[in-house]
Amino acid sequence: MARYLRNGFLITFAILWLIPTYLLVVNAMTPSSSYDGSPDWFPGGFGFFDNLSKAWESADLGLGIYNSLLYATLSAGIAVFAAAFASFAVIVMPTRRRGLWFWLIYSGTLLPLQIFLAPLFKAFVDVNLYDTQLGMVLIYAALCVPFAFFVVRNYLTTVPDEITEAAQLDGAGWSRLFWRIHLPLVKSSLLAAFVFQFTWVWNDLLFGITLSTSPNIRPVMAALAELNGGYSSLGPPIVLAAALLVSLPTVVLFLTFQRFFASSLKPVG
């Protein structure tokens, strides 16, 4: 009896969780010409590609997708490698005050991001990084480092000390220890951190609308926000079709690398 209650409880919450996604898909497929202003619960036609075409032309989604792909890939990659170097230094190398270094780096995730907006805006304008691709990559990479460090560092603590000691007895230096031994051992945590940070950068709107303004610089979420605000006369189905399209890359990425999330939770030893 308890098993049936548990399964019924889980199914009920799964259905409630999926209702917004279901409504998004159904209304994104509704032809904009037949949309009456109220959400459709059942498909009344198939106008998804027409809606998507209008959204693509109105908000220049192609350029926004390219920018977000560039920012998310480079920033997450830079952050993950920086986190790997920092984790190796804190955990494997004989570093003093390891706890202090951990909290110093990880504290970047504890502060609300809104407090960075005003000083970042002023600093970016002063150094000519405002509304540039380089500026977007740098700020996203910096913001991604703390959480990536948290994931990689915690996984690196599960690597047995005997591995490092044996390698050092064989004459391995710090460079070889990092590149040839520890980095391959923690690759699952690196990929998991990359997926997390790629998803965050892709879905970010706050810094996208604060530090960029040109269509050839702004990320896709900023383009989607402009479509939702400046082109509201086009109708909700067009906006929803665009939202469904821009959500697909992160879903595909997560499903592709989902096995690394499970393996990153298992200790090396």
Side-chain angles (χ1 to χ4, degrees):
M1 183 65 181
R3 182 166 63 90
Y4 291 111
L5 290 175
R6 181 189 61 196
N7 292 341
F9 181 81
L10 292 176
I11 292 173
T12 299
F13 271 85
I15 293 174
L16 292 175
W17 183 265
L18 290 173
I19 284 177
T21 304
Y22 170 79
L23 288 174
L24 169 65
V25 174
V26 169
N27 287 273
M29 293 182 178
T30 301
S32 58
S33 58
S34 61
Y35 189 77
D36 59 1
S38 59
D40 292 332
W41 284 88
F42 301 100
F46 188 81
F48 175 75
F49 292 109
D50 290 336
N51 296 338
L52 188 59
S53 177
K54 294 177 182 177
W56 190 280
E57 295 175 0
S58 299
D60 203 0
L61 287 180
L63 191 55
I65 290 175
Y66 167 77
N67 289 332
S68 286
L69 185 63
L70 176 68
Y71 302 152
T73 303
L74 288 181
S75 300
I78 294 171
V80 166
F81 271 102
F85 282 117
S87 301
F88 182 81
V90 171
I91 300 300
V92 181
M93 299 179 70
T95 303
R96 299 178 60 186
R97 297 183 177 87
R98 296 183 177 184
L100 175 63
W101 283 109
F102 167 75
W103 285 109
L104 185 63
I105 299 173
Y106 182 66
S107 62
T109 65
L110 304 179
L111 301 174
L113 296 179
Q114 288 80 358
I115 68 173
F116 300 122
L117 294 180
L120 272 175
F121 178 83
K122 186 177 185 302
F124 269 45
V125 171
D126 290 342
V127 298
N128 296 321
L129 284 176
Y130 177 75
D131 199 29
T132 64
Q133 290 181 329
L134 176 60
M136 299 301 294
V137 170
L138 290 177
I139 186 57
Y140 281 137
L143 292 172
C144 287
V145 167
F147 184 77
F149 169 75
F150 175 78
V151 173
V152 179
R153 177 259 182 195
N154 286 353
Y155 191 73
L156 195 58
T157 57
T158 67
V159 177
D161 294 336
E162 291 77 9
I163 295 178
T164 303
E165 295 171 359
Q168 288 178 324
L169 288 175
D170 289 338
W174 295 119
S175 178
R176 184 181 176 188
L177 278 171
F178 177 77
W179 292 106
R180 301 291 297 276
I181 298 175
H182 288 81
L183 198 64
L185 286 174
V186 299
K187 65 179 181 180
S188 59
S189 67
L190 296 176
L191 286 171
F194 177 84
V195 172
F196 274 120
Q197 300 313 108
F198 182 98
T199 302
W200 180 80
V201 175
W202 183 274
N203 291 329
D204 173 71
L205 175 63
L206 182 64
F207 292 94
I209 62 177
T210 305
L211 301 178
S212 67
T213 183
S214 303
N216 60 327
I217 302 297
R218 67 184 181 187
V220 69
M221 290 302 166
L224 186 62
E226 183 174 344
L227 179 69
N228 186 36
Y231 299 95
S232 57
S233 60
L234 295 174
I238 295 176
V239 178
L240 293 177
L244 184 61
L245 173 68
V246 300
S247 66
L248 289 179
T250 54
V251 174
V252 172
L253 185 68
F254 177 80
L255 294 177
T256 302
F257 295 103
Q258 60 178 332
R259 65 187 181 91
F260 291 104
F261 287 93
S263 60
S264 66
L265 298 177
K266 300 177 182 178
V268 174

